[in-house]
Amino acid sequence: MVKIKKPASYTDIDSGLSSEAVQSKINQGLTNVQIKKLSRSIPQIIGSNLFTLFNLLNLAIAILIFWTGSYRNLFFLGPVIANIIIGSFQEIRSKLTIDKISLVNTHNFSAIRNGVKNDVKIEDLVQDDIIILKRGDTIPADGIVCSTNGLQTNESSITGESDTITKEVGEPVYSGSFVVAGQAKVQLTQVGLNSFVSQLSSAVSKDKRSVSVLMKIINNIIKILTYTIVPIGLLLFFRSYFQNGNISTSILGTSASVIGMIPEGLVLLTSVALATGAYNLSKKNILVRSLSAIETLARVDTLCLDKTGTITTGNLNVKEILSYNDFSKEAIIQAALKIVEATKETNATALAIKKLDGSPLETEIKKVIPFSSETKYSGFIDQNGNKYLMGAPEFIINNPSNELDNTIQTAAKEGFRIIAVLKQDTLMGLIKISDEVRKQAPATFKYLNNQGIDLKIISGDNPVTVANVAKQAGIDSSNNYIDMSTVSEKCDYNDLVDKYKIFGRVRPSQKSSLIKAMQENGLTVGMTGDGVNDVLAMRQSDCSIAIAGESDAAEASADFVLLNRNFDSMIFMLNEGRRVINNVERVASLYLIKTIYSVVLAIIFIILGTGYPFQPSQLTPINALTVGIPTFILALEPNYTPPAGRFMRNVMEIALPAAICNILLICGIAFFGGKMNIPFTITSTQSVFVIGLIGYCALLSISKPLINRKKVMIGVSFAIFAVLFIFGTSLFGIQSILDWRYIFIYLIIFVIIWPLFMFMREVLGRRVFSKINWK
C-alpha cells in the first residue's frame, strides 16, 4: 500500500477548521470534488447518440447520394435523425430523474468546524477537515487518524484483501475503504482528485458490470458487421460500376445495400429500454446505480437475503432479560447501556438496548472493544481491569451448561435474537430481543418463489432464529440450516450452498465466499442487505440491492438502493428488468432480418455482376412501418416471463427464416424480371413489396399474443403500407401495384408469402436450430 501524505500541520481535533480556513481551502481548490458522476452529462449523452460508427457511415452515404442529385434517396436519414432525437431525449429524461432522486441519497459527514459538529456534504469537505467516522461509513477521502475508539477498516476494494485492519492514532485511512468497527476522528489530508483512489483512476468506483449481456451480444454483432460492411460495399460498388459504367446508379445501389446492413436503432433501442427501466424504477423511489444491473437482476435465479432490515423491519425491542450468577436485571441493564455508550454504536441492537429503563454503569473506561461483524461482540475494560462483553452467546460463552444451551436454543426457535452480557468470564444475563417480519414479505417471497427464484438467507444471527423468521416470512426452509461458526476454513462451500438454504452465524468474509461458491455452481446471484457486514457479499454478487438508512458503505456498494425501504419493490424491480430483456430480445429479430438479407444479396449481386435490386428511398417507408415504429411501441409492452437465456436462438428463429424468404423471392424477381424485360422501377417495387410483407409476417409472429392495441398498431401500419403500394408514390420511388400487366406477380407474392415464411420457420426450427448449441 502506498503511504499516505502526512499533513503539513495538524488541525485541533476539538475545534476543527475555522470558517475562514474552510473558505481559504475552497479558494485553493482543496475540496473533495468527486471524480465519479452518478450519470453521464447531457453533452456526453448527445455525443454518444450522435457520434457512432454507423452514424458516420450514414453521413458518408448521405454525402455520396447528395452528390448524385437523387435527393429523394436521402429520406433514409429521417429514421436515423429520429433515433438520435428519441434516444437522447429518453436518456436525458432518465438522467435528470435519476440525478434528482440521487440527491435524496446523498450522504453527509460529521465534520468539526468552529468547535461545533456539522453535517457536511461529501463534496463540500476540504483538506484538513476533522471528520467523525463510524461503523458503516465509506471513507470519503484520505486521512490520518487523530483519535480512535477501536477503529477498524476494510480496504478490500483497494487491496483485494478482505482482512479487517485496526487503525491506531497516526495511521492512514484511504478513500473508498469502509469502517467495519469503532469510531474515529480523522484529519483529511488528500481530497478529491488528489486522493489515493482517484490517482488509481477511481478503481473503487468502477462498475462491476459496465456492459450488459444484451449489449455484449449486440456489440459482437456490430463488430462483425464493422468488418463486413465496408469491404462488401466497395466490392459491390466497383462490380456494379464496371458492369454499367454509371457511377450514380452504382452509388445508389451500393447505398441501398449498406443501409440495409446497418441494424440502425437496435443499439439505441437497447439503451433506451434500459434508460426507461431506470426511469420507471426511479419513479418508485428506487435508485439505480448501474443500467446493466437492471438486466442482470432479471437474470437472477438465486436471491440471497440478510435477515435484519431485509426480511424483518429492523425495529428491535427487548422482550425479556434473564439473570444468572446472582446478577440483578438492573446490573445487566447498566452494563449493557454502558457498553452501548462506550462503543457509540447506532445499530439496531444498540438502539433496542437504549430503550431500556435504567442508567449506564458508573465506571471509568480504560479500553473500548468495538463491535465487529467478525467477532460478533463489543465491550470495554474499566479502570479496575474488569472486562465487560456483550454479544452472541456462541462467541463469548465458553462451555455453556446443557440448561443454558437449551434456554438459548429454545429462545432462538421462538424467533428471538439472544444477546449475552458478561463481566470478566462470568455470565451476567441473557437479553431476548424480538424483531418483526415485514408485512409484505410473505407475499413478496411467495411471488419470487413462484417465479423460479431460489431464496437463501445469509445472516449473522443464530441459524435457529433465522429459520424461525424465515418460516414466518413464508420461506420454506424445512429446518435446512447450518451454523457457519462451526464450519472449518477447508470446508467445501460449493457443496454447502447446494445443501442448505439458511446460513446462520455468518461472518462477512464467509458471506462473500458463499456467494462466490454459488456463482461457481453456475448460478446468477443477487444479494440484499442493509449493513456494513453485507458489503463484501454485495460486491461479490452479480446484482446487489441495499435497503436505505443503515450503512453508507452498503448503499455505495449496491446496484439498487430502496430509498423507501419497501422490500415489496423487489417485485416491480424484477418485472421491470424482465420487461426490458424480453422486449429487446423479441424486437431484435426485426432489425437483423434486413442485416442478413442485405449482406447475402450484396454478395450474390457482386457475383452476378448486376445492379442492386432497389434504392434507399424505396426501403425507407417499409423499414419505418415494419420495424422502426412497431419496435419502439413493443419495447414498452409488459412482458414478465423469466428470460430463457437464448437471445441468439430466439432472434434467429424469426430473423433467419424471414431473411431467407426475402433472398429467395428477390432473387426470383430479379431473374424473371431480367428474362421478361420488366423495367427496374417495377422489379424494385416488387422487391420492397416482398420485404414489406415478410416484415409483417415477422411482426405478427413476435407480437403474440395479439391483444387489441397490437392489432390496432399492425392494422394502421398495414393500411398505410397498402396505400403506398396501391396508389404509388414518386416521393419514395414506389410504383402502383395496380398495373394490369404485372398485378398477377403481386398477387402470387401476396398468396405465397405467409406459407413460405411458416415453412421456413418449421424447417429451420426442427432441423437446424434444435441441433445448434447457442451458448
Side-chain angles (χ1 to χ4, degrees):
M1 177 68 69
V2 176
K3 288 190 176 181
I4 202 166
K5 175 184 172 185
K6 295 286 185 180
S9 61
Y10 286 92
T11 306
D12 189 309
I13 64 173
D14 293 319
S15 59
L17 295 176
S18 64
S19 298
E20 293 78 12
V22 171
Q23 187 59 51
S24 175
K25 299 290 183 182
I26 293 172
N27 293 340
Q28 296 175 59
L30 300 176
T31 57
N32 197 38
V33 176
Q34 298 300 294
I35 190 169
K36 183 182 179 182
K37 301 296 182 182
L38 289 172
S39 60
R40 296 187 298 171
S41 66
I42 291 177
Q44 285 176 322
I45 290 173
I46 295 173
S48 66
N49 281 282
L50 186 61
F51 301 109
T52 67
L53 172 66
F54 289 152
N55 280 348
L56 293 175
L57 192 57
N58 282 325
L59 178 61
I61 293 170
I63 292 172
L64 290 172
I65 293 175
F66 184 83
W67 180 80
T68 67
S70 182
Y71 302 123
R72 74 181 183 192
N73 282 296
L74 292 173
F75 279 115
F76 81 94
L77 288 175
V80 174
I81 294 170
N83 283 341
I84 294 170
I85 293 172
I86 293 170
S88 299
F89 170 78
Q90 289 279 35
E91 278 202 66
I92 291 171
R93 183 185 71 165
S94 299
K95 168 203 161 49
L96 295 176
T97 304
I98 292 169
D99 285 355
K100 183 178 179 181
I101 200 170
S102 295
L103 294 175
V104 179
N105 198 47
T106 299
H107 294 281
N108 296 334
F109 285 83
S110 294
I112 299 174
R113 293 177 176 177
N114 300 308
V116 179
K117 187 167 67 172
N118 300 275
D119 285 336
V120 180
K121 293 180 180 179
I122 185 172
E123 64 269 20
D124 293 335
L125 294 171
V126 299
Q127 184 174 302
D128 292 328
D129 252 331
I130 299 293
I131 65 169
I132 301 171
L133 295 176
K134 62 183 184 301
R135 193 170 77 95
D137 283 344
T138 297
I139 298 173
D142 299 343
I144 295 290
V145 177
C146 299
S147 70
T148 174
N149 186 9
L151 180 70
Q152 296 177 5
T153 65
N154 183 294
E155 297 174 355
S156 59
S157 57
I158 300 172
T159 65
E161 301 294 332
S162 60
D163 297 335
T164 296
I165 302 171
T166 300
K167 297 289 184 178
E168 303 294 345
V169 172
E171 292 188 339
V173 293
Y174 298 92
S175 58
S177 56
F178 58 93
V179 181
V180 296
Q183 292 190 3
K185 288 184 179 179
V186 171
Q187 179 177 346
L188 301 182
T189 57
Q190 290 163 272
V191 295
L193 302 180
N194 294 321
S195 69
F196 178 73
V197 168
S198 294
Q199 291 174 352
L200 290 178
S201 301
S202 194
V204 170
S205 62
K206 185 178 180 181
D207 289 337
K208 292 184 289 184
R209 297 158 296 277
S210 58
V211 182
S212 70
V213 176
L214 274 179
M215 288 304 296
K216 282 182 180 178
I217 295 172
I218 293 169
N219 287 339
N220 285 336
I221 294 172
I222 290 171
K223 188 182 294 184
I224 294 170
L225 288 174
T226 301
Y227 295 110
T228 302
I229 290 176
V230 174
I232 289 180
L234 289 173
L235 283 172
L236 181 62
F237 169 77
F238 287 114
R239 188 75 166 96
S240 176
Y241 177 69
F242 291 141
Q243 184 73 22
N244 56 41
N246 188 319
I247 192 170
S248 295
T249 302
S250 300
I251 287 174
L252 294 177
T254 303
S255 298
S257 171
V258 173
I259 291 169
M261 294 180 204
I262 300 173
E264 54 190 353
L266 181 55
V267 177
L268 168 77
L269 184 71
T270 306
S271 299
V272 168
L274 290 171
T276 303
Y279 173 75
N280 291 338
L281 290 173
S282 67
K283 291 195 294 185
K284 294 287 186 179
N285 226 20
I286 300 168
L287 176 60
V288 181
R289 294 193 182 277
S290 167
L291 284 182
S292 63
I294 296 174
E295 177 190 339
T296 306
L297 176 63
R299 299 185 188 278
V300 164
D301 48 37
T302 303
L303 183 62
C304 296
L305 310 159
D306 182 40
K307 180 181 76 69
T308 306
T310 304
I311 299 175
T312 63
T313 62
N315 182 24
L316 307 183
N317 291 286
V318 175
K319 288 299 181 182
E320 187 179 2
I321 298 176
L322 305 177
S323 60
Y324 290 85
N325 299 312
D326 298 326
F327 286 97
S328 66
K329 291 184 179 180
E330 289 73 18
I332 297 167
I333 291 172
Q334 286 180 333
L337 287 172
K338 189 63 178 180
I339 291 172
V340 171
E341 180 186 88
T343 59
K344 299 179 181 179
E345 271 294 339
T346 57
N347 59 33
T349 300
L351 293 176
I353 290 172
K354 282 183 177 180
K355 297 176 187 176
L356 293 171
D357 290 330
S359 56
L361 186 68
E362 293 184 2
T363 183
E364 292 294 324
I365 295 174
K366 181 179 179 182
K367 181 182 179 181
V368 173
I369 303 170
F371 178 81
S372 166
S373 298
E374 288 285 344
T375 61
K376 301 194 185 301
Y377 63 80
S378 58
F380 66 89
I381 299 174
D382 68 12
Q383 60 185 355
N384 298 318
N386 294 314
K387 184 178 183 180
Y388 291 85
L389 293 179
M390 179 173 70
E394 301 93 324
F395 284 75
I396 60 176
I397 300 177
N398 295 319
N399 302 315
S401 65
N402 290 335
E403 182 181 354
L404 178 60
D405 188 59
N406 288 335
T407 299
I408 293 171
Q409 292 303 314
T410 299
K413 288 178 181 178
E414 293 171 350
F416 290 105
R417 172 180 289 186
I418 309 301
I419 303 296
V421 181
L422 276 68
K423 180 180 181 181
Q424 301 294 63
D425 291 326
T426 304
L427 175 64
M428 297 180 68
L430 299 176
I431 302 176
K432 296 169 67 175
I433 299 178
S434 67
D435 200 351
E436 57 183 357
V437 174
R438 293 181 182 271
K439 291 181 181 180
Q440 69 272 26
T444 301
F445 294 138
K446 182 179 180 180
Y447 179 86
L448 295 175
N449 187 63
N450 290 338
Q451 292 296 308
I453 296 177
D454 186 24
L455 301 172
K456 293 182 183 290
I457 304 177
I458 303 177
S459 173
D461 278 353
N462 187 306
V464 180
T465 301
V466 179
N468 179 279
V469 171
K471 186 177 180 181
Q472 294 179 51
I475 299 175
D476 181 18
S477 63
S478 302
N479 294 323
N480 190 11
Y481 56 80
I482 184 173
D483 186 335
M484 290 298 292
S485 65
T486 65
V487 174
S488 68
E489 292 182 3
K490 296 181 180 180
C491 180
D492 184 358
Y493 276 41
N494 298 76
D495 182 57
L496 282 183
V497 296
D498 273 344
K499 188 175 181 181
Y500 297 102
K501 290 179 71 70
I502 293 176
F503 303 86
R505 292 302 181 210
V506 187
R507 293 184 173 92
S509 57
Q510 289 178 317
K511 286 190 176 187
S512 177
S513 298
L514 287 170
I515 288 180
K516 184 177 181 181
M518 294 177 204
Q519 292 168 327
E520 289 173 352
N521 288 354
L523 301 174
T524 302
V525 185
M527 174 70 196
T528 66
D530 68 341
V532 67
N533 58 318
D534 300 316
V535 171
L536 295 179
M538 293 170 75
R539 287 180 175 174
Q540 177 63 46
S541 68
D542 296 291
C543 180
S544 53
I545 304 102
I547 311 293
E550 176 65 24
S551 166
D552 169 33
E555 293 176 39
S557 300
D559 296 307
F560 302 94
V561 182
L562 305 183
L563 299 177
N564 56 7
R565 299 182 58 82
N566 183 6
F567 190 72
D568 193 35
S569 300
M570 281 294 302
I571 295 176
F572 183 81
M573 292 167 62
L574 178 71
N575 286 340
E576 190 63 23
R578 288 180 172 181
R579 183 191 64 76
V580 170
I581 293 178
N582 292 332
N583 286 338
V584 171
E585 283 191 0
R586 181 168 61 176
V587 303
S589 56
L590 295 181
Y591 288 94
L592 295 181
I593 291 171
K594 70 186 185 75
T595 299
I596 296 170
Y597 76 68
S598 295
V599 171
V600 175
L601 286 177
I603 294 172
I604 290 173
F605 287 103
I606 287 172
I607 295 171
L608 294 178
T610 58
Y612 205 68
F614 47 83
Q615 295 184 350
S617 65
Q618 295 174 305
L619 204 56
T620 298
I622 309 305
N623 286 337
L625 291 171
T626 62
V627 181
I629 297 171
T631 55
F632 272 93
I633 294 174
L634 291 175
L636 302 177
E637 285 289 305
N639 189 345
Y640 306 137
T641 57
R646 306 183 310 169
F647 178 85
M648 285 307 298
R649 177 170 180 171
N650 290 344
V651 168
M652 297 307 286
E653 281 182 347
I654 299 293
L656 192 56
I660 291 174
C661 290
N662 278 325
I663 293 164
L664 293 175
L665 291 173
I666 290 172
C667 286
I669 289 169
F671 176 78
F672 288 108
K675 293 292 184 181
M676 299 169 63
N677 294 319
I678 299 175
F680 175 78
T681 55
I682 301 299
T683 57
S684 60
T685 298
Q686 291 170 352
S687 295
V688 294
F689 184 70
V690 164
I691 292 170
L693 291 180
I694 291 293
Y696 283 110
C697 291
L699 182 57
L700 283 168
S701 297
I702 69 165
S703 297
K704 294 178 181 178
L706 288 171
I707 56 177
N708 288 335
R709 61 173 172 267
K710 293 180 186 177
K711 291 178 181 177
V712 170
M713 175 193 73
I714 296 172
V716 170
S717 173
F718 190 78
I720 297 172
F721 174 83
V723 169
L724 281 174
F725 281 90
I726 291 174
F727 297 101
T729 170
S730 58
L731 186 64
F732 296 110
I734 295 174
Q735 302 299 309
S736 171
I737 62 175
L738 300 180
D739 185 328
W740 303 111
R741 295 171 297 172
Y742 308 111
I743 195 170
F744 71 95
I745 297 177
Y746 291 103
L747 290 174
I748 292 172
I749 291 171
F750 189 83
V751 170
I752 68 170
I753 281 287
W754 180 257
L756 179 62
F757 173 73
M758 294 306 294
F759 173 75
M760 294 305 302
R761 283 195 66 187
E762 181 71 14
V763 170
L764 290 175
R766 287 191 175 183
R767 300 192 179 184
V768 179
F769 295 135
S770 61
K771 298 178 181 179
I772 296 177
N773 183 3
W774 294 92
K775 293 183 180 180

